[in-house]
Amino acid sequence: MNQDKIFLLKGKIQNYAWGGYDFIPRLLNVENPDHKPVAEYWMGAHPSASSKILVDGKEVSLNDEINKNPKVFIGEKVEQRFGELPYLFKILDVRELLSIQVHPSKTEAEKGFDAEEAAGILITDKARNYKDRNHKPEVMVALSEFWLLHGFLEKEKLSTVLKSVPEFETLVPVFEKESYKGLYKYVMELPQTQVDSILQPLVERELANNSSDKSQPGFWVRRVYEYAQTKELVNIDRGIFSIYFFNIVKALPGEAIFQGAGIPHAYMEGQNVELMANSDNVLRGGLTPKHIDVPELLKHTKFEGVIPNVMKGELLLNHEKNYPCPVPDFGISKIELSSSESIENTSFSAEIIIVTEGEISFQHEDKTLTLFHGEAAFILPETKYTIHSETEGTAFKAFVPKID
Ligand SMILES: [Zn+2]
């Protein structure tokens, strides 16, 4: 039987409250008549929101197809190593700041999951930290100017911040004596009344300022309050400290950043393509009404200064740029074709490709699938295919790196 190798893939929209209204609907060419926030578009086989693929004119669940025929759909080596499609590919549109978070390492996730299972904490319990036994490294490539918090400031810089903000005077000796961990533990465990007394004058001053400089913490404090339920300066979210303690990073379109286990981070504004391991293990440190487990968070945070590594991508082949990620679960590249250009390709793993601009066609033997912006394809492992654009086109590709 001559099996199809390239399938049209339909992902799933996620209407989280922090999302923007227009970017994803416009990309996907769909209406948003109820003006709902459209935060994410998921492409993958996650059991809770599997994508559909079009097989013989019928939409079927990608997750079901993989489970029925893993050798064909993800390949033998990936099946042996991961037992599933190891990545989840997304488009994100961030309007409000997301929670400050840390993801555990693979070993720590296994331990944490098993401990919560043994303790009988239901997977649906709000206090549950570990939803699976996997790590959750993430990489994002910016589609617009993108802003995020990423890792602690280097020692000198953090010292300067603590000394220059008058409300942080009491934190200076804590950092000097007990370094990153002592400082972070101190603010994360501080009684709420003391959090309020430190942050109240600071927030008040920042709110009175109207600078539009996004490289400064004050801008993001104002953004937090723009979307806050209450404008009163009580029960102030202690996540505000992290806006001052972490690197405020800007990524330009086409630039990428990888976030590994233990690096505290939070997306603040913009649109991106995001790729992550298939996991939902998130430990939160503020800017959220969701569950915060301080001891677990402290256990998994890397307490060190970070110099953000904003990647511009490495030219792999003609027209294809790779953003190297130090994990076995996924890889990401950007494909850019000008008018009438073609490239030959062979997939060595299951690939998902989304066209973000223009038009690109994918040809295997006598079959051609043409995709316009917002459309995606699922490509079986070991497929020889030609990528071509009549006009011009940009796409992002998710794959599993070669397993030896
Ligand atoms: Zn994250």
Side-chain angles (χ1 to χ4, degrees):
M1 190 183 90
N2 183 12
Q3 150 112 42
D4 272 351
K5 304 268 192 186
I6 301 178
F7 305 92
L8 181 67
L9 176 141
K10 289 191 178 165
K12 187 153 191 325
I13 284 176
Q14 304 282 13
N15 300 99
Y16 307 136
W18 49 262
Y21 299 102
D22 305 320
F23 181 82
I24 291 176
R26 214 185 304 131
L27 176 73
L28 302 178
N29 209 9
V30 296
E31 302 280 316
N32 185 17
D34 303 327
H35 196 61
K36 281 193 209 159
V38 183
E40 301 190 353
Y41 182 66
W42 286 25
M43 296 164 285
H46 196 279
S48 77
S50 175
S51 296
K52 307 268 194 225
I53 56 170
L54 202 65
V55 180
D56 300 328
K58 261 193 294 186
E59 280 186 14
V60 293
S61 147
L62 176 58
N63 191 38
D64 291 348
E65 294 305 297
I66 292 172
N67 288 335
K68 271 191 272 175
N69 204 347
K71 280 187 182 57
V72 168
F73 275 80
I74 55 176
E76 200 166 353
K77 283 182 173 174
V78 168
E79 188 204 358
Q80 275 168 7
R81 170 141 196 186
F82 299 99
E84 60 179 5
L85 184 70
Y87 61 74
L88 180 58
F89 203 20
K90 298 179 180 180
I91 303 285
L92 260 69
D93 180 13
V94 179
R95 180 175 51 94
E96 285 181 43
L97 279 80
L98 272 68
S99 57
I100 291 158
Q101 50 189 251
V102 166
H103 306 298
S105 68
K106 180 99 177 90
T107 340
E108 292 300 328
E110 286 168 2
K111 273 196 241 164
F113 182 87
D114 293 347
E116 287 185 335
E117 285 287 289
I121 305 169
L122 290 178
I123 206 103
T124 47
D125 194 317
K126 282 194 171 60
R128 176 94 186 207
N129 289 312
Y130 300 94
K131 311 286 170 53
D132 50 69
R133 303 176 86 246
N134 208 0
H135 63 164
K136 190 176 179 265
E138 301 165 333
V139 65
M140 56 133 272
V141 186
L143 292 174
S144 66
E145 184 178 287
F146 195 91
W147 291 88
L148 70 158
L149 297 173
H150 174 86
F152 284 97
L153 289 167
E154 287 176 90
K155 201 156 196 164
E156 283 299 298
K157 285 188 182 165
L158 183 47
S159 275
T160 308
V161 168
L162 296 178
K163 286 173 186 158
S164 63
V165 175
E167 290 78 8
F168 291 165
E169 199 186 338
T170 51
L171 305 180
V172 174
V174 181
F175 186 53
E176 276 167 5
K177 273 195 226 104
E178 299 170 56
S179 195
Y180 290 96
K181 187 165 185 182
L183 173 72
Y184 200 59
K185 184 172 173 353
Y186 181 83
V187 301
M188 291 310 289
E189 290 178 348
L190 208 57
Q192 185 62 44
T193 48
Q194 288 187 47
V195 170
D196 287 353
S197 69
I198 294 178
L199 292 180
Q200 196 257 335
L202 173 59
V203 171
E204 204 159 45
R205 195 169 61 250
E206 297 287 23
L207 292 179
N209 187 333
N210 53 16
S211 156
S212 56
D213 185 353
K214 293 183 179 176
S215 69
Q216 295 303 313
F219 178 88
W220 302 105
V221 172
R222 286 190 290 284
R223 178 62 62 82
V224 168
Y225 274 85
E226 210 176 299
Y227 292 112
Q229 296 294 322
T230 163
K231 311 288 175 195
E232 282 169 53
L233 299 182
V234 287
N235 287 321
I236 299 178
D237 193 317
R238 66 190 68 218
I240 299 264
F241 286 109
S242 296
I243 300 178
Y244 293 84
F245 296 174
F246 297 165
N247 292 290
I248 295 176
V249 181
K250 173 169 82 166
L252 297 172
E255 292 182 340
I257 193 156
F258 173 82
Q259 328 218 62
I263 302 294
H265 60 276
Y267 289 156
M268 298 200 289
E269 183 188 80
Q271 288 91 36
N272 68 27
V273 179
E274 189 185 40
L275 182 60
M276 63 188 62
N278 209 5
S279 167
D280 197 16
N281 286 328
V282 182
L283 302 160
R284 296 185 175 84
L287 302 184
T288 177
K290 286 184 189 163
H291 175 64
I292 295 180
D293 183 334
V294 174
E296 276 302 311
L297 177 73
L298 297 175
K299 206 160 91 191
H300 300 297
T301 302
K302 274 194 183 156
F303 290 104
E304 58 190 28
V306 168
I307 302 175
N309 176 23
V310 177
M311 301 184 275
K312 294 198 183 295
E314 295 167 358
L315 210 55
L316 250 191
L317 303 158
N318 264 348
H319 317 296
E320 188 170 355
K321 235 191 233 171
N322 183 47
Y323 301 91
C325 298
V327 287
D329 311 68
F330 57 72
I332 187 166
S333 68
K334 181 183 185 185
I335 297 164
E336 275 176 298
L337 294 177
S338 19
S339 160
S340 313
E341 272 181 338
S342 298
I343 44 176
E344 301 294 326
N345 211 344
T346 302
S347 59
F348 46 81
S349 73
E351 296 177 346
I352 293 176
I353 302 185
I354 179 158
V355 174
T356 52
E357 283 169 56
E359 154 271 308
I360 294 180
S361 63
F362 300 83
Q363 191 191 351
H364 170 70
E365 291 170 355
D366 58 350
K367 286 188 178 161
T368 302
L369 178 67
T370 301
L371 303 183
F372 294 91
H373 70 81
E375 292 183 315
F378 181 79
I379 301 176
L380 296 184
E382 286 158 58
T383 301
K384 222 174 154 236
Y385 63 98
T386 307
I387 308 176
H388 173 82
S389 182
E390 265 316 295
T391 51
E392 55 177 9
T394 303
F396 288 88
K397 176 171 98 181
F399 57 93
V400 188
K402 267 192 181 128
I403 300 171
D404 298 318

